Amino acid sequence: MEQVLAFISENIRFIYLLILMVFLGIEVISHVPSVLHTPLMSGANAIHGVVIVGAIIVMGRAEPDNYLALILGFIAVILGTLNVVGGFVVTDRMLEMFKKKK
Amino acid sequence: MEKYIVDIIYLIGSVSFILGLKMLSHPETARRGNLYAAAGMILAILGTIFLEPGIGNLVWIFGGIVIGTIVGWIAAKKVKMTAMPQMVSLFNGMGGACAAVISIVEYTKHDFSHGGAALVAIIMAGLIIGTVSFTGSMIAFGKLNGNIGDKVFPGQKFINLVILLAAVGLATYLSMQPAADNMLLYVILGIAVLYGVMFVMPIGGADMPVVISLLNSFTGVAAAFAGFVYNNQVMLTGGILVGSAGTILTILMCKAMNRSLFNVIAGAFGTTNAAAGGDGKQQGTVKEISAPDAAVLLAYSKKVFIVPGYGLAVAQAQHTCHELEKLLEEKGVEVKYAIHPVAGRMPGHMNVLLAEADVPYEKLLEMEDANSEMPNTDVSIIIGANDVVNPAARHDQSSPIYGMPILDVDKSANVIIMKRSMAAGYAGIDNELFYYPNNRMLFGDAKASLQKLVTEVKAL
């Protein structure tokens, strides 16, 4: 029990961040018109590609003899990049369709 | 010094994500919002590579980024508009897999012989959620692509629950006994892979957008867990933001279909109802109309509504459709499009498709506006849509789509349904509109039929 409480206390700033971000996420998109549901989903998809930062850290800190970390890290970087690049490009293509033609 | 700068870069990155997401929810600013978020992402990535302490193996990092960029860019540029939903699912799966792989490396790298229960628990959470998101997205991709059908067997929900509990139970055990060998890690990985497959398998193809949105928020959560492991602010903010925004978006999508999230996940749609359609309550006959007759009817109308659906997307008929609309306008007919929020395979699918064919934004009416004009409309042409115009949703309580808001096309003076055959729509239910006295069927592929109409109208 004390362990759990200590964990909460040690990470109280993260917990604040978590709660605020949850409310912010809800607030930011609750009035979105249905037309934009798909592009918004796709945009959010690209944003969670930020996991690439973790992949870079794994890869960058892998010791030269730790082949598991090297190989998996390399794969993770590729996967993360795919998520980021593909996500933003697809979203842009979708939104390109919305521009007003006059 | 570097550490301070990288912190500020992460802060800028986080703000750009929030701003980007905010701007993405307004039509005017959406595209710029996407670019803001992308710029923030590039900044965060460069900051990590060059300023994060102890980053080596730069050749490998850049190698991976170059490969991912080329493949991702080409895939995203080449994909057809109709295949966008699958593509989003695929990219989402990549993110999930990335989070899972990071978790594996982090677990095997650390020495947990003296404690670290909380860290293990967080790593495990990232592993399970990331993996479920990955395999689930792949199944969703396969379903939208038509490679995988819906698979339901008795007791599936119970088995799924058991699988999920097994994964969570083992992960909890591993957190309590962090020094246990790596074998257990791979067992948990295997169970998570299985759960992702089993989770999406029974859900009907029409519900895939909702599932993709849900899996999208899962990946966000997985990214946030990974961020916690590294104490990395930008991963945390980005991940949690997508986690919560994605969940709300999922709920909004369900609301547009008048269904609950639980109902979608339970996979009841299109499976239990398949039999309900054929209970012989359909009365009357189906009347056909030929293309020349349809062309005359349209050309001499005052006001026409075009109601597009997935059939339009499949037939890639958006350009022909726009051509017909222009021809009719030249003849003095007022032509507008009635867009149901969930027409097609994703909300907004029709808007994207029609915009591609240069249909002006102002011509697309949302459901409420379209419905208020329906009684004054001479002809509604339905192109490859079905469930979204089924009047059973208004009055038939036994219908699985009862209560879903629909386009009241039956209130217009005439209805023309363009359809390949009498087959049921995606929800697997019969459409009583086919038998209405004011309805005519124009059978054939949407593009071919539209082409015929264009020729006929030109000849008038």
Side-chain angles (χ1 to χ4, degrees), chain B residues 160-174:
Chain B
N160 279 4
L161 189 66
V162 170
I163 296 174
L164 181 62
L165 287 178
V168 174
L170 282 176
T172 313
Y173 172 77
L174 196 61

Side-chain angles (χ1 to χ4, degrees), chain B residues 354-376:
Chain B
L354 292 169
E356 194 203 21
D358 286 338
V359 175
Y361 195 72
E362 308 81 60
K363 281 197 167 292
L364 312 182
L365 292 197
E366 294 212 14
M367 186 170 57
E368 290 80 20
D369 301 330
N371 275 345
S372 64
E373 292 187 24
M374 277 300 170
N376 312 319

Side-chain angles (χ1 to χ4, degrees), chain B residues 362-395:
Chain B
E362 308 81 60
K363 281 197 167 292
L364 312 182
L365 292 197
E366 294 212 14
M367 186 170 57
E368 290 80 20
D369 301 330
N371 275 345
S372 64
E373 292 187 24
M374 277 300 170
N376 312 319
T377 304
D378 298 305
V379 188
S380 293
I381 331 173
I382 292 141
I383 309 174
N386 192 345
D387 298 322
V388 295
V389 294
N390 190 343
R394 281 200 308 258
H395 61 78

Side-chain angles (χ1 to χ4, degrees), chain B residues 131-132 135-136 139 156 160 191-202:
Chain B
T131 309
V132 169
T135 53
I139 299 293
Q156 194 162 20
N160 279 4
I191 296 174
V193 165
L194 183 66
Y195 183 72
V197 174
M198 299 283 283
F199 172 64
V200 182
M201 220 51 190

Side-chain angles (χ1 to χ4, degrees), chain B residues 128-208:
Chain B
I128 294 173
I129 298 170
T131 309
V132 169
S133 178
F134 169 62
T135 53
S137 297
M138 290 305 112
I139 299 293
F141 171 81
K143 281 197 174 203
L144 283 170
N145 231 8
N147 308 333
I148 302 172
D150 306 341
K151 298 242 169 16
V152 187
F153 54 83
Q156 194 162 20
K157 280 170 213 163
F158 178 71
I159 293 171
N160 279 4
L161 189 66
V162 170
I163 296 174
L164 181 62
L165 287 178
V168 174
L170 282 176
T172 313
Y173 172 77
L174 196 61
S175 307
M176 298 297 159
Q177 307 285 332
D181 72 312
N182 289 348
M183 201 52 221
L184 202 52
L185 173 82
Y186 296 112
V187 173
I188 294 172
L189 176 67
I191 296 174
V193 165
L194 183 66
Y195 183 72
V197 174
M198 299 283 283
F199 172 64
V200 182
M201 220 51 190
I203 303 175
D207 285 330
M208 277 308 121

Side-chain angles (χ1 to χ4, degrees), chain A residues 14 38 48 58-60 93 97, chain B residues 56-57 77 79 216 230 347 355:
Chain A
F14 281 123
T38 305
H48 69 50
V58 164
M59 183 78 236
R93 271 193 65 194
M97 307 291 173
Chain B
N57 300 320
K77 279 284 181 194
V79 62
N216 192 24
Y230 297 114

